[in-house]
Amino acid sequence: MNSLEQAQAEYEAFIQKFQSAMIATTNGQGIPNASYAPFIVDEFKNIYIYISGLSTHTQNLVVNPHASVMLIEDEDKTEQIFARRRLTFECTAALIARDSDSWQEIMNNFHARFGEIMEVLSGLQDFRMFKLIPSEGRFVIGFGAAYFISGDDLNKLKGRPA
């Protein structure tokens, strides 16, 4: 197996290791905010989050739908702190209407993944569901080992950019 094939195998397993993602958003004035949210992901690498309308990142996504999402290896599991494995996606957020069939289907997936807490959270009217649609990304697995992911096939790594 060559290095790209190895990286592809790691990429396919990496996202499944996480239940929450770090999310970077900005408000209307461009002021950044870093936060996190539990998520589910579909086969196209769309990331779904269900977050309080009172939170800064929700308010930011409403006024500026651009976000960056990062999944990063735990510090205590990394071999080298300066080269932690990480996956980042540049995304555009779309609000999922609470009364839509999509909302209910995705909420069923949240229930399956996160259990009882979703019974309470799904009834909170201030919570919003967003679909974060990746356009591109990078998967870094060490020094000199960064791979590009593009919107034409987010399931497949491209070789390292020249």
Side-chain angles (χ1 to χ4, degrees):
M1 185 181 297
N2 68 35
S3 62
L4 182 56
E5 290 170 334
Q6 277 184 301
Q8 181 67 42
E10 286 190 45
Y11 172 59
E12 290 169 9
F14 193 76
I15 202 166
Q16 301 306 319
K17 296 178 182 180
F18 297 88
Q19 293 187 59
S20 65
M22 289 184 234
I23 303 170
T25 60
T26 57
N27 66 15
Q29 293 75 44
I31 298 171
N33 174 260
S35 190
Y36 88 99
F39 73 93
I40 58 172
V41 65
D42 68 19
E43 66 272 17
F44 304 108
K45 299 292 188 272
N46 295 308
I47 298 163
Y48 298 88
I49 57 175
Y50 187 63
I51 52 181
S52 171
L54 304 175
S55 68
T56 300
H57 54 267
T58 302
Q59 295 170 29
N60 287 353
L61 289 173
V62 168
V63 298
N64 181 358
H66 301 287
S68 183
V69 173
M70 181 170 66
L71 306 174
I72 189 165
E73 175 179 55
D74 286 340
E75 286 184 9
D76 63 347
K77 294 180 181 166
T78 190
E79 293 176 25
Q80 174 48 256
I81 196 67
F82 285 93
R84 288 166 69 188
R85 282 179 164 72
R86 60 200 176 272
L87 172 62
T88 57
F89 284 122
E90 300 308 315
C91 302
T92 302
L95 183 64
I96 309 268
R98 185 176 282 271
D99 60 355
S100 69
D101 290 339
S102 295
W103 189 94
Q104 190 56 59
E105 180 181 332
I106 296 160
M107 184 52 65
N108 290 342
N109 293 333
F110 270 98
H111 279 273
R113 184 161 196 200
F114 297 108
E116 282 183 38
I117 187 68
M118 296 312 300
E119 293 295 327
V120 174
L121 296 180
S122 64
L124 298 177
Q125 295 300 305
D126 73 297
F127 270 64
R128 304 288 179 260
M129 184 183 293
F130 287 93
K131 176 182 182 180
L132 303 178
I133 306 159
S135 56
E136 64 181 30
R138 288 178 62 90
F139 182 51
V140 178
I141 57 176
F143 289 118
Y147 298 87
F148 184 70
I149 307 154
S150 67
D152 59 334
D153 187 356
L154 294 169
N155 288 309
K156 185 172 169 86
L157 296 180
K158 311 291 186 223
R160 292 177 272 225

